[in-house]
Amino acid sequence: MASLIEELPKIIERGKKEAQKMLDGLSEKNKITLQTNELVLPTKAKGGYFGQSVKSDVKHEWLNRVIYGDNILTMQALLAGDPQTGMSSMRGKIDLIYIDPPFDSKADYRTRIHLPGTDIEQRPTVIEQFAYSDTWKDGTVSYLQMMVPRLILMRELLSEQGSIYVHIDWHVGHYVKVIMDEIFGKENFVNEIIWKKTNSPKAQSDSFGNQHDTLFLYSKNLTRIFNQSYKEPDENYLKAFMYDDNDGKGKYQTIALSNKTSLGGFGKMKDWEWKGVTARWIYSKEKLNDWYNKNLIVKTKSGYRKKYYLNESPGQILSDLWVDKSTSPIQGLSNEQLNYGTQKPETLITRIIQASTKENSIVADFFAGSGTTGAVAEKLGRKWIVSDLGKPACMIMRKRLIDQESKPFLYQSIGDYQKEQFEKSEFKTIGDLSQVIVNLFGALPFPEEKGIPSNLGYIKNGKTLVYVDSPTKMTGYNSLKRAQEWRGQLGYDKVVVLGWNFVAEISQVLPRFQDELDNEKLKILVIPHDLLEKLRNKVSYDNLIKSGKIKFSSLQYLKIKPIKKKEYNKEQDEIEVVLDDYILLSPDVLPLDQENKEKLEKVIQDDPLALIEYWSIDPDYDGEVFRSKWQDYRQNKDNDSDEFKVVNKAKLIVPKVKGKRKVCVKAVDVFGFESVAVEEVK
């Protein structure tokens, strides 16, 4: 078996080929796209009232964005450009990339969900394991294979004056350093920064306690943005200011004016005489005379030196050892604390952004986690893009940005995510994939000679038809109607529809099939979101069938009470939106152990609305882009004092419109699943 050091060149070469294939595909018809899920207009409306006067559109010169999805797809979409929002290609436009990727540490970052009366611990899904579990099938080899193409795409996104900080630790940092030397060039390596990540390292019986992380700083080119950084002076620095002339100017130290050993200095490396002293002066004679006349130069045994006052010092110049209090780790009671396993302090990211960006710079983070990079960039007036594969992470980011009342931003996802996963798989046709889904459900495909579409199957010894929708489509009215037609045409009593993604207005579609649903002639189930991650080829599903671990879920959806409207004044109306019920995905399909499933089922029974983490309203929904003009979320104490629940009622003051008003309500549950309800109000 080859050693890792022997495998490293192969890993880099494969990663380069993979990245090049992605770059070559940017101009193709089926290029990766972004889907705008929400235009968020942050508000912390007290009492649920909000006077809506903001005119908004997704096509702005620039809109910051939170992107949910695999970052390698996100970066491809950014490189290709986003026609939906009018954003051109981001190639060569990002001045700073900070990433805090997994460390190949074998840690298992589970999500703890706080609910009324109980806590639930959620394991990562297969998709989210990439973001949270920090484990890799083939160990460090898999980890490095993941990193190489991503770092290459990041280099493509960096501007000519851009920099990248890779936050890593001792587990795999040395290998990442070699990879970055290859991708960015050893000559563009700027710093290895040591950051003190904890004040209290864990006690180790067989080794020294680990107390630091490492940040590798690389530039795109030698001409990079860099702003000299300072830290609060420490005790040793202050001790250097030992002199005081008692003239009211304060304490000072003396600094050299000449350097006998340096090849630099004023006068082209020649010694020359000033005030009876011959030396290699660093400054011009005019400058020296000016300081002398201002009593800023003193004569010592070794020559002349300049007074340097403490009050003119901007601080202590920052080194590559970040152990000062200015970037201290987050303490348990900090206002920043979001109970996110890998959360970094805002002061750390502030230092990085201030050092390596300008006022109009774009900052990006493709392993965004709790969203510290976006939150800090927003506060510093920078443009930003943050992306993460974990739904809990994206939820935390969205809430965090709303809470700090950020400027409007986009919440996006990879367009046709299931389609992208299908195209990465080894299935040649959607029909082939459908046959596999039929088998996984426990049904049989129809014989080819019957000429029945390959997305249909049947339950043996039963009268149930199985209809598998395409991963490239949104399951809605037309799909359900076709499934019903096939049920009747083939003479079956019941049809089960298996869908990947469902139209936003599914809760309004279902009543049109209420009789069939009530009489059990129609059943709708959701194909697991991470199935294509498990199902990379046609061979692998044999093990899944034997395991019996593939479970299809009931459809989750949101129900609201009929929206009330009344006149507020001549120009405005008041509308009242009340949440009625929330139907969650089947608990069996969630990554929970039996104990946590039982806890969840009790919450579902007692108070299903307690499962809603976030909900928002677009009172003027155009059927395309959801514009979130009012939001409430758990921990929003501006609306109520209950940190475990959202309010279930909102009143909005909105401009009058001619004809019907289409109101869209979006809810996101504690597991990150979205549901939408749409109602027309006369």
Side-chain angles (χ1 to χ4, degrees):
M1 184 176 178
S3 69
L4 187 54
I5 200 69
E6 290 173 317
E7 283 291 317
L8 199 54
K10 300 176 186 177
I11 293 170
I12 294 173
E13 188 60 31
R14 285 195 297 268
K16 285 182 176 180
K17 288 181 179 178
E18 184 182 350
Q20 190 57 53
K21 185 178 179 181
M22 296 172 187
L23 294 170
D24 292 341
L26 296 178
S27 59
E28 296 178 0
K29 187 177 180 181
N30 59 346
K31 65 183 180 183
I32 309 290
T33 59
L34 292 171
Q35 174 181 304
T36 298
N37 302 60
E38 198 171 327
L39 171 60
V40 184
L41 300 156
T43 176
K44 296 170 67 177
K46 294 182 181 180
Y49 286 89
F50 179 57
Q52 177 58 35
S53 60
V54 179
K55 293 183 178 180
S56 58
D57 200 348
V58 297
K59 291 190 176 181
H60 286 199
E61 183 178 348
W62 177 263
L63 279 167
N64 299 320
R65 53 195 72 205
V66 175
I67 304 173
Y68 164 64
D70 188 338
N71 56 26
I72 202 156
L73 298 176
T74 295
M75 287 187 281
Q76 290 176 71
L78 293 173
L79 286 164
D82 185 12
Q84 188 184 41
T85 63
M87 182 185 73
S88 58
S89 169
M90 294 301 295
R91 188 190 294 262
K93 294 183 179 178
I94 297 175
D95 284 340
L96 171 64
I97 296 175
Y98 166 87
I99 59 170
D100 181 19
F103 293 170
D104 190 28
S105 62
K106 310 301 182 287
D108 187 5
Y109 302 112
R110 301 188 179 213
T111 303
R112 184 174 292 275
I113 300 169
H114 303 288
L115 293 170
T118 189
D119 287 349
I120 291 176
E121 190 174 80
Q122 176 192 2
R123 300 189 308 273
T125 65
V126 169
I127 294 175
E128 292 170 347
Q129 282 176 12
F130 181 81
Y132 294 125
S133 292
D134 207 354
T135 56
W136 311 95
K137 184 180 74 171
D138 297 323
T140 303
V141 171
S142 293
Y143 177 85
L144 298 176
Q145 286 174 340
M146 178 278 296
M147 288 292 289
V148 172
R150 286 166 172 80
L151 287 169
I152 292 172
L153 295 189
M154 290 179 205
R155 189 183 185 280
E156 293 294 318
L157 288 164
L158 275 181
S159 71
E160 294 302 305
Q161 57 187 357
S163 300
I164 179 171
Y165 291 72
V166 177
H167 193 135
I168 210 77
D169 79 351
W170 61 270
H171 288 92
V172 75
H174 44 299
Y175 293 112
V176 173
K177 170 68 167 62
V178 173
I179 288 172
M180 295 190 72
D181 281 347
E182 178 66 23
I183 294 172
F184 289 89
K186 192 175 180 181
E187 70 279 5
N188 291 317
F189 174 56
V190 181
N191 279 116
E192 177 185 29
I193 299 166
I194 303 301
W195 173 60
K196 182 181 177 183
K197 67 178 180 180
T198 178
N199 294 320
S200 304
K202 292 182 180 179
Q204 304 287 336
S205 60
D206 59 350
S207 64
F208 299 111
N210 175 243
Q211 201 172 358
H212 81 276
D213 285 346
T214 299
L215 290 88
F216 293 127
L217 168 57
Y218 282 76
S219 61
K220 180 78 168 284
N221 293 298
L222 295 176
T223 55
R224 69 184 186 279
I225 298 172
F226 186 75
N227 307 308
Q228 186 62 263
S229 300
Y230 302 88
K231 67 176 182 178
E232 187 176 342
D234 58 29
E235 186 178 349
N236 289 329
Y237 179 77
L238 294 173
K239 283 181 179 178
F241 295 85
M242 63 179 69
Y243 305 108
D244 193 335
D245 294 338
N246 296 316
D247 56 0
K249 295 182 178 180
K251 292 186 176 182
Y252 67 90
Q253 62 171 302
T254 61
I255 58 176
L257 295 170
S258 63
N259 192 334
K260 294 181 179 181
T261 59
S262 174
L263 296 179
F266 193 88
K268 300 180 180 179
M269 300 176 289
K270 294 180 180 179
D271 292 349
W272 47 277
E273 186 269 339
W274 181 77
K275 298 289 182 185
V277 177
T278 300
R280 188 166 298 159
W281 299 102
I282 301 173
Y283 305 95
S284 70
K285 186 175 290 187
E286 289 76 18
K287 180 66 73 176
L288 293 172
N289 286 331
D290 180 56
W291 286 337
Y292 186 85
N293 293 330
K294 292 178 179 177
N295 196 31
L296 294 175
I297 291 180
V298 295
K299 190 172 184 181
T300 67
K301 292 180 179 180
S302 59
Y304 289 102
R305 294 176 67 86
K306 180 183 180 293
K307 296 177 182 179
Y308 182 60
Y309 288 90
L310 180 60
N311 60 17
E312 65 180 290
S313 168
Q316 188 172 349
I317 293 178
L318 193 64
S319 72
D320 59 5
L321 185 62
W322 295 3
V323 297
D324 52 293
K325 294 181 180 179
S326 302
T327 59
S328 292
I330 299 171
Q331 304 300 313
L333 298 177
S334 169
N335 292 330
E336 288 184 45
Q337 183 61 256
L338 300 171
N339 295 314
Y340 190 87
T342 59
Q343 183 181 353
K344 300 300 183 291
E346 289 192 4
T347 51
L348 174 67
I349 308 303
T350 297
R351 176 172 290 180
I352 291 169
I353 293 177
Q354 288 179 333
S356 297
T357 65
K358 306 182 288 188
E359 186 176 343
N360 293 317
S361 289
I362 301 172
V363 178
D365 186 346
F366 299 108
F367 294 88
S370 64
T372 304
T373 301
V376 172
E378 175 74 27
K379 291 177 180 179
L380 295 176
R382 302 318 194 251
K383 302 170 183 175
W384 52 266
I385 300 170
V386 292
S387 171
D388 201 276
L389 185 54
K391 284 186 175 181
C394 291
M395 172 50 64
I396 289 171
M397 285 190 264
R398 180 162 48 184
K399 288 168 50 180
R400 183 177 189 173
L401 290 160
I402 293 171
D403 202 52
Q404 71 178 53
E405 299 184 84
S406 300
K407 295 188 294 292
F409 63 91
L410 294 176
Y411 179 69
Q412 297 183 294
S413 60
I414 303 301
D416 300 322
Y417 184 77
Q418 300 293 356
K419 177 184 175 187
E420 306 297 345
Q421 294 301 312
F422 167 71
E423 291 176 350
K424 287 167 57 179
S425 73
E426 295 183 16
F427 295 100
K428 293 182 180 179
T429 67
I430 289 176
D432 289 343
L433 176 61
S434 297
Q435 294 280 287
V436 170
I437 304 300
V438 166
N439 284 318
L440 287 172
F441 187 71
L444 297 171
F446 286 98
E448 191 174 340
E449 59 268 20
K450 287 196 173 186
I452 296 174
S454 55
N455 69 321
L456 294 173
Y458 65 98
I459 303 294
K460 190 177 181 180
N461 299 324
K463 293 189 176 182
T464 299
L465 183 70
V466 178
Y467 179 99
V468 182
D469 215 352
S470 169
T472 65
K473 296 179 180 178
M474 303 293 283
T475 301
Y477 176 79
N478 291 333
S479 296
L480 300 181
K481 188 171 182 289
R482 280 195 296 272
Q484 287 286 80
E485 290 171 349
W486 276 112
R487 178 187 65 81
Q489 186 176 332
L490 297 176
Y492 284 82
D493 294 340
K494 178 180 178 180
V495 61
V496 179
V497 176
L498 306 178
W500 295 91
N501 301 291
F502 291 80
V503 296
E505 66 275 11
I506 190 66
S507 60
Q508 281 67 53
V509 171
L510 295 179
R512 302 173 71 175
F513 298 90
Q514 200 61 56
D515 288 343
E516 290 88 346
L517 291 166
D518 292 341
N519 296 319
E520 296 187 350
K521 292 182 178 182
L522 172 66
K523 188 175 183 178
I524 306 167
L525 295 176
V526 182
I527 299 170
H529 293 267
D530 57 5
L531 182 57
L532 280 169
E533 288 287 332
K534 297 177 179 177
L535 199 64
R536 289 298 183 129
N537 52 62
K538 289 193 289 186
V539 179
S540 63
Y541 79 90
D542 287 332
N543 293 329
L544 292 176
I545 292 175
K546 293 176 183 177
S547 71
K549 292 182 178 179
I550 298 300
K551 299 187 183 291
F552 296 80
S553 170
S554 57
L555 182 66
Q556 92 272 5
Y557 57 94
L558 174 72
K559 294 174 70 175
I560 61 174
K561 293 183 178 180
I563 295 175
K564 298 178 180 178
K565 188 193 81 170
K566 66 180 183 181
E567 186 176 78
Y568 187 75
N569 56 40
K570 291 182 179 180
E571 289 78 34
Q572 298 172 308
D573 288 329
E574 178 189 280
I575 60 172
E576 181 182 86
V577 180
V578 181
L579 303 181
D580 186 24
D581 197 6
Y582 179 69
I583 290 76
L584 181 66
L585 287 166
S586 304
D588 283 343
V589 305
L590 296 170
L592 305 171
D593 59 25
Q594 189 56 40
E595 180 185 354
N596 284 290
K597 283 179 184 176
E598 291 173 1
K599 291 180 181 179
L600 176 60
E601 286 170 350
K602 188 176 186 309
V603 175
I604 292 173
Q605 184 177 356
D606 294 345
D607 188 4
L609 290 178
L611 297 168
I612 294 177
E613 180 76 22
Y614 165 92
W615 70 291
S616 53
I617 303 171
D618 182 351
D620 301 288
Y621 184 52
D622 62 7
E624 296 181 3
V625 177
F626 180 85
R627 294 166 171 83
S628 174
K629 299 175 179 177
W630 179 93
Q631 312 93 25
D632 189 43
Y633 46 94
R634 298 198 311 158
Q635 292 94 38
N636 179 16
K637 295 181 180 179
D638 285 328
N639 272 355
D640 69 352
S641 58
D642 193 336
E643 63 177 337
F644 293 120
K645 292 183 182 180
V646 297
V647 298
N648 66 359
K649 181 192 308 184
K651 293 181 179 180
L652 282 73
I653 311 302
V654 296
K656 290 181 181 289
V657 296
K658 293 182 180 180
K660 296 180 180 179
R661 162 175 264 117
K662 185 181 285 188
V663 179
C664 184
V665 182
K666 177 186 286 190
V668 186
D669 65 34
V670 294
F671 301 101
F673 296 106
E674 295 186 356
S675 298
V676 169
V678 182
E679 183 177 326
E680 287 189 339
V681 183
K682 295 182 180 179

